[in-house]
């Protein structure tokens, strides 16, 4: 047997089954896949194996083409009970946010067109009025994520000047967002204030010089300082800012519009509270506790926001039409006071134990397997560290829980579950209603495998 026994690409293109590959994937990509199959056959022959038949080469090429085109970004079933799961795409969108996005995506829209005047308009108007009405702020600006919102503020208002930050707030959020690095990128100079566990108002007043441009307050988000610790309140910082004519940026991270304490959780700082206390600028994410698409939202004083709007960086971090459509539809739910019925993140936060138990119980019956146990869900998304919500889990006793969890990940759609105390557990809180059927199908298949 030798390499000469291998067919040419041209011969393979005429072989049975090649026409179907060309019809499905186009000729250029099919040729690439056939070449790849021939290359690996050549290597195998050199290692002493027999040359594959033409049909074998065609079928391998078909598999290659399938794997090349399989999207790596795919919908999954989140059975982990972590509501705002950053690795799983943060907030699932409400039905009306999905509809709004699909409508502007599929055609032309009034993105930057003033329909009344029949002339050029601004993309800034779409979410601004809604945000102003919801938060009580003078003005609002949407950018493509909260990291960009903070970067824009620091660049536009503090470039080459000093920003005061308490040492208790030099935080790192998941995904490489670090306050000192963002500051560096903006060209602003970090002036650390106080100590790791205790910072007093006097530390801020003593740090202010002619070089000071801004005071930054960052929400701890995903960690807690306990014990002997203190920080000035937002109101105190705003007071100092007013005395010295310095803007204060309150980076809330999650930015809740509803009070999480009403749902048995700790109190996550609310945007309306920061606005009411008089924060000149408040920054938060669109896809954490707002439950909308990825976005960074700034609300606050109009003169400051107008300065930001005019800065060249605002153009580089502007949101696209799908973001604005989805965000506006999501904000509408809060205005209509229907967030807990419509926005998935809030539906999940407000789900009662009775409803969760009933769902898990129904699954156990349909599967004829698994035991109901009490467990805890978490909010995630860098909010409410250590806070959990009581839930009911479906616990599956399987021989090798990690191998079983892997089988679930290989389902279509993939199912992401937790392994706890040598059992695979499934939390109904984060499984969307229309995913129940594929979830049960996937679990059933994994149990039978
Ligand atoms: C999450 C978070 C950010 C980053 O927000 P993204 O929308 O992910 O860019 C910034 N600051 C704080 C305090 C956060 O919690």
């Amino acid at each position: 047997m030798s390499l000469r026994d291998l067919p040419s690409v041209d011969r393979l293109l005429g072989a049975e089954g090649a026409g179907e590959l060309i019809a499905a994937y186009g000729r250029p990509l099919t040729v690439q896949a056939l070449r790849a199959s021939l290359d690996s056959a050549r290597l195998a022959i050199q290692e002493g194996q027999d040359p594959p038949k033409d049909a074998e080469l065609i079928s391998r090429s078909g598999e290659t083409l399938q794997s090349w085109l399989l999207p790596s970004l795919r919908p999954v079933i989140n059975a982990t009970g972590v509501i705002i799961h950053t690795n799983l795409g943060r907030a699932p969108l409400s039905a009306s946010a999905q509809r709004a996005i699909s409508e502007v995506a599929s055609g032309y829209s009034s993105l930057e067109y003033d329909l009344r005047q029949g002339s050029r308009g601004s993309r800034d108007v779409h979410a601004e009025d809604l945000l102003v009405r919801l938060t009580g702020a003078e003005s609002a600006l949407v950018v493509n994520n909260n990291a960009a919102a903070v970067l824009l503020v620091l660049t536009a208002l503090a470039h080459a000047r000093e920003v005061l930050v308490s040492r208790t707030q030099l935080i790192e959020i998941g995904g490489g967002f670090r306050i000192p690095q963002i500051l560096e990128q903006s060209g602003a100079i970090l002036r650390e204030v106080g100590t790791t566990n205790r910072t007093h108002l006097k530390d801020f007043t003593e740090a202010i010089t002619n070089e000071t441009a801004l005071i930054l307050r960052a929400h701890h988000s995903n960690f807690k300082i306990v014990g002997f610790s203190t920080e000035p309140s937002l109101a105190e910082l705003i007071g100092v800012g007013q005395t010295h004519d310095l803007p204060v940026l309150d980076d809330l991270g999650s930015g809740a519009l509803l009070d999480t304490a009403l749902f048995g959780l700790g109190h996550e700082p609310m945007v309306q509270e920061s606005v009411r206390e008089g924060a000149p600028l408040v920054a938060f994410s669109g896809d954490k506790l707002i439950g909308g698409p990825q976005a960074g939202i700034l609300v606050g004083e109009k003169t400051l926001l107008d300065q930001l709007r005019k800065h060249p960086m605002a153009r580089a971090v502007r949101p696209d039409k799908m973001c604005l459509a989805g965000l506006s539809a999501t904000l509408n739910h809060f205005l209509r006071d229907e967030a807990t019925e419509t926005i998935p993140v809030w539906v999940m936060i407000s789900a009662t134990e009775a409803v969760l138990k009933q769902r898990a119980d129904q699954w156990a019956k349909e599967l004829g397997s698994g035991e109901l146990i009490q467990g805890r869900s978490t909010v995630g998304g860098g909010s409410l560290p250590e806070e959990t919500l009581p839930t009911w889990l479906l616990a599956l006793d399987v021989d090798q829980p990690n191998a079983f969890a892997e089988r679930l990940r290989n389902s279509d759609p993939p199912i992401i579950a937790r392994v706890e105390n040598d059992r695979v557990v499934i939390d109904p809180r984060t499984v969307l209603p229309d995913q129940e059927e594929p979830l049960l199908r996937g679990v059933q298949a994994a149990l039978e495998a």
Side-chain angles (χ1 to χ4, degrees), residues 90 145-148 150 171 173 177 218-219 221 251-254 285 287-288 295 381-382:
R90 287 199 185 158
N145 59 36
N146 190 35
V150 175
I171 53 166
I173 313 292
F177 177 89
H219 179 39
S221 298
D251 177 13
L252 287 181
S254 264
S285 289
D287 54 350
K288 290 181 177 173

Side-chain angles (χ1 to χ4, degrees), residues 275-358:
V275 171
R276 209 178 309 130
E277 289 187 21
L281 286 169
V282 186
F284 51 103
S285 289
D287 54 350
K288 290 181 177 173
L289 282 171
I290 303 298
Q294 178 185 308
I297 302 167
L298 284 159
V299 300
E301 292 174 8
K302 186 166 182 324
T303 48
L304 292 173
L305 284 164
D306 285 346
Q307 253 175 286
L308 302 183
R309 269 186 263 276
K310 274 190 251 140
H311 193 276
M313 186 182 277
R315 171 66 179 79
V317 298
R318 74 182 186 185
D320 78 327
K321 60 190 175 185
M322 290 180 279
C323 165
L324 290 169
L327 183 62
S328 300
T330 306
L331 295 173
N332 250 293
H333 293 308
F334 288 102
L335 280 169
R336 292 171 193 267
D337 195 23
E338 59 182 25
T340 56
E341 291 116 64
T342 52
I343 300 176
V345 163
W346 286 98
V347 173
M348 291 172 188
I349 289 175
S350 59
T352 62
E353 271 189 85
V355 165
L356 295 165
K357 187 175 184 184
Q358 194 195 339

